[in-house]
Amino acid sequence: MEAREVQTGDYVRYHYNGTFLDGKKFDSSYDRGVPFIGQVGFGRLLAGMDRGIQGMCVNERRKVTVPPHLAYGNLGAGNVVPPDAVLVFDLVLLDIWNTEDKVQTFTLKKVKDCRRTVVASDFVRYHYNGTLLNGTPFDSSYKRNRTYDAYVQQDELIKGMDEGLLGMCVGELRTIIIPPFLAYGEKGYGTDVPPQASLVFSVLLVDLFNPKDDITIDNQVVPEACTRKSVVGDFVRYHYNGTFQDGTPFDSSYQRNRTYDTYIGMGYIIHGMDKALQGVCMGEKRRVTVPPQMAYGENGTGDIIPGSAVLIFHVHVIDFHNPSDKVDINVTYKPEECNLTTEDNDLIKYRYNCSLMDGTLLYSSEHYGKPQDTVLGVNRVIDGLDTGLQKMCVGERREVIIPPHLGHGENGGSGVPGSAVLFFELELMDLQKGVPEGYNFIWLKDTPQEIFPAMDMNSDKEVPLEEFSTFIKLQVTEGKGRLRPSPDPDAIIKDMFANQDKNADGKIVVAELQIKVDAHDEL
């Protein structure tokens, strides 16, 4: 911005002291407290002053000596200036403008990623320092610790500011120079802005929106595998960083080290986010711009969100589910021969990895160095996993997605966040077919007609635990019967023995032996 020099036709505002050659003062704008205002070059100033002020810059101080013939001549000026007086003016130029002037703007700080610029009817929030042309400050939004907020070109701002803000980007720093007739003109403004004062504003645009704006979504990162998108009524868990348009942060779920969890499309969150979270994929990232009319409006909220603030959310969707969701099973490998599959009461061994939907590993059978074992259908594992392990072949591998109501619920579990959707990678390693609930042993073939003699291997008319155990294990080995699966089969056999040893004397006699007769025969 080059210094401007006074030329013919310019208007000037300056302070001065006027003296004679002997130093005696005859006039002073300082004494009146009001600078002199006049136009240069059209006979509205003393001829000597018209010439002496030419080429001056704002804040320049000059001593101009004016001979009588370029001042008041041989007539003088009443009782103030005698005839043929030489006049000395000590002056400082405060302001300069021309009726042809326009608003001048100078960008001091550019914005690399400028998504949008100010246009007429936009609402803006900006900080500013305001000075007169000579640098005298008259106002500052920073001192009030709040932005100046207004609609552009809606008669809410002085005309020069209406023009000077056009084309600005959020985050841009701009100097705006406004001539008096596009500012406060002949009247000035209070005691801070004198009449016919040019104004200089250093403006930082903080925020920008239009009442017609909707949310905008960009910078999307969508996973390749997206089998389902969120809909109204889904419960979503997501992380976010929240900032204003100038980059100032106001909130972050990461700082709290927990996701934000909510139902969407049901009015539990601000309207803009309610809308932005519909149609997302698990694992998706997106940048969401929410105008104030879809956020916290003109009043803002507390000391965190100012009124009429545009909000930027950088969102990472961790997972979502619906209360009506079922277990989702994807078979990734199945052996060609699959004649035997898992069902309730079976004892199985399986390998697994359990993760959150963002890939965070929660726990794994590898942590224990061996496969996990469990009995299906007896509440040994979470319901969703029990379902996911049903009808599997040995060697089969699956990916199983379990909604929280079939997992660890709203409260979560050890190491599992509340309302978390779980992702299991499963491989069935071993399968021992089970027996119906309430049974310890069933016959797979016909029961021996003379069971007591078959059990009484030494024919001494009594069967101790050791003999009983040998008999039962032999039936299992020969495929004639099935023992209830258990990590400790001896404990099952001991329980069966106790059921038959009515008098608890450590041996079974023929009178004590009882066999259940129904769909399954059991000792």
Side-chain angles (χ1 to χ4, degrees):
M1 184 170 60
E2 296 181 1
R4 176 176 178 177
E5 298 180 352
V6 175
Q7 299 178 11
T8 297
D10 285 341
Y11 286 84
V12 290
R13 188 164 56 86
Y14 59 89
H15 264 306
Y16 70 90
N17 282 316
T19 65
F20 301 119
L21 286 174
D22 61 2
K24 181 181 179 181
K25 182 166 64 176
F26 66 86
D27 192 14
S28 173
S29 63
Y30 294 101
D31 292 344
R32 293 190 296 275
V34 179
F36 180 83
I37 300 173
Q39 190 177 21
V40 177
F42 290 93
R44 297 180 183 179
L45 304 177
L46 291 176
M49 284 296 291
D50 249 345
R51 297 181 186 181
I53 205 169
Q54 292 275 352
M56 283 192 75
C57 300
V58 171
N59 281 331
E60 181 180 341
R61 183 180 293 274
R62 278 188 182 180
K63 186 176 183 179
V64 179
T65 301
V66 181
H69 65 281
L70 295 177
Y72 294 102
N74 57 9
L75 295 178
N79 297 323
V80 178
V81 179
D84 297 319
V86 176
L87 305 181
V88 179
F89 291 91
D90 182 1
L91 61 94
V92 58
L93 188 63
L94 304 177
D95 206 343
I96 176 175
W97 77 95
N98 194 290
T99 54
E100 301 297 321
D101 286 348
K102 297 180 180 180
V103 174
Q104 299 179 70
T105 61
F106 304 90
T107 298
L108 304 179
K109 176 187 174 184
K110 294 184 178 180
V111 177
K112 291 182 180 180
D113 184 17
C114 183
R115 300 170 181 269
R116 174 179 176 179
T117 61
V118 177
V119 297
S121 80
D122 280 344
F123 189 89
V124 294
R125 298 193 309 119
Y126 61 93
H127 271 302
Y128 70 90
N129 286 315
T131 69
L132 304 180
L133 201 59
N134 70 335
T136 302
F138 66 85
D139 194 15
S140 173
S141 64
Y142 295 98
K143 290 183 177 179
R144 294 189 294 275
N145 198 31
R146 66 175 184 271
T147 56
Y148 193 89
D149 308 339
Y151 285 95
V152 177
Q153 295 197 341
Q154 299 291 307
D155 296 325
E156 294 187 4
L157 299 166
I158 57 175
K159 291 183 178 180
M161 187 61 80
D162 260 339
E163 293 181 22
L165 290 169
L166 294 175
M168 284 193 77
C169 303
V170 171
E172 181 179 339
L173 181 62
R174 178 181 283 191
T175 296
I176 302 174
I177 302 176
I178 303 174
F181 53 88
L182 295 176
Y184 295 104
E186 295 180 358
K187 295 182 179 180
Y189 187 80
T191 59
D192 297 317
V193 179
Q196 299 291 37
S198 301
L199 304 182
V200 180
F201 290 90
S202 176
V203 174
L204 175 63
L205 188 62
V206 172
D207 213 346
L208 158 67
F209 77 93
N210 194 283
K212 298 179 181 179
D213 286 348
D214 197 349
I215 62 168
T216 57
I217 298 171
D218 55 17
N219 287 5
Q220 289 178 270
V221 179
V222 182
E224 292 183 5
C226 180
T227 57
R228 174 187 165 187
K229 295 185 176 182
S230 61
V231 297
V232 171
D234 282 344
F235 189 87
V236 180
R237 298 193 315 122
Y238 63 98
H239 270 303
Y240 69 90
N241 285 317
T243 71
F244 301 119
Q245 284 202 94
D246 65 352
T248 302
F250 64 83
D251 192 18
S252 173
S253 64
Y254 295 98
Q255 291 182 351
R256 294 188 294 274
N257 198 32
R258 66 175 184 272
T259 55
Y260 192 90
D261 309 338
T262 186
Y263 286 96
I264 59 171
M266 301 174 68
Y268 289 106
I269 51 179
I270 58 174
H271 179 53
M273 282 299 289
D274 228 353
K275 186 174 182 180
L277 288 169
Q278 296 176 38
V280 297
C281 300
M282 290 190 192
E284 182 172 337
K285 297 179 180 180
R286 52 172 51 179
R287 180 182 189 269
V288 182
T289 303
V290 183
Q293 65 268 26
M294 300 181 74
Y296 295 99
E298 294 182 1
N299 298 323
T301 177
D303 297 328
I304 301 174
I305 310 293
S308 300
V310 177
L311 306 182
I312 309 292
F313 292 93
H314 294 267
V315 174
H316 182 195
V317 179
I318 303 302
D319 62 37
F320 57 83
H321 73 279
N322 195 281
S324 62
D325 282 350
K326 298 179 180 180
V327 175
D328 182 11
I329 299 173
N330 175 37
V331 177
T332 58
Y333 172 76
K334 193 167 189 176
E336 292 183 4
E337 294 187 9
C338 181
N339 299 320
L340 195 64
T341 61
T342 56
E343 59 185 349
D344 284 352
N345 300 305
D346 288 349
L347 175 66
I348 65 170
K349 290 183 182 294
Y350 63 100
R351 288 197 179 104
Y352 70 92
N353 290 317
C354 176
S355 306
L356 298 178
M357 296 305 293
D358 65 353
T360 302
L361 181 65
L362 297 178
Y363 39 88
S364 169
S365 58
E366 298 300 319
H367 294 163
Y368 305 99
K370 61 179 181 179
Q372 178 78 24
D373 57 50
T374 192
V375 178
L376 293 178
V378 293
N379 298 319
R380 297 279 184 87
V381 294
I382 57 175
D383 290 346
L385 181 56
D386 202 303
T387 300
L389 288 165
Q390 296 279 352
K391 299 180 181 180
M392 285 188 78
C393 305
V394 173
E396 182 177 337
R397 293 191 290 270
R398 290 180 174 182
E399 294 176 344
V400 177
I401 297 175
I402 301 175
H405 50 274
L406 296 175
H408 292 278
E410 294 182 4
N411 297 323
S414 178
V416 180
S419 299
V421 178
L422 301 180
F423 178 77
F424 278 88
E425 297 170 294
L426 302 174
E427 181 180 8
L428 187 64
M429 307 304 295
D430 188 40
L431 163 62
Q432 296 181 43
K433 295 303 293 182
V435 299
E437 186 175 356
Y439 288 79
N440 286 324
F441 175 90
I442 61 171
W443 294 99
L444 300 177
K445 298 181 180 180
D446 290 339
T447 307
Q449 292 183 355
E450 298 293 334
I451 190 169
F452 189 84
M455 190 182 300
D456 183 14
M457 295 179 179
N458 60 5
S459 302
D460 63 353
K461 307 300 181 181
E462 58 185 28
V463 179
L465 174 60
E466 183 178 354
E467 200 169 29
F468 180 84
S469 178
T470 300
F471 173 77
I472 295 297
K473 289 180 179 179
L474 181 62
Q475 309 313 304
V476 173
T477 301
E478 294 179 351
K480 297 178 180 179
R482 182 185 301 154
L483 193 66
R484 177 161 64 89
S486 170
D488 187 2
D490 289 332
I492 302 296
I493 295 173
K494 188 174 181 180
D495 186 41
M496 292 173 61
F497 180 83
N499 289 336
Q500 301 294 332
D501 183 15
K502 305 301 182 183
N503 61 7
D505 63 353
K507 57 184 180 292
I508 302 171
V509 297
V510 67
E512 292 177 308
L513 187 64
Q514 291 184 350
I515 300 177
K516 293 181 181 179
V517 180
D518 53 17
H520 305 275
D521 293 327
E522 186 197 37
L523 293 173

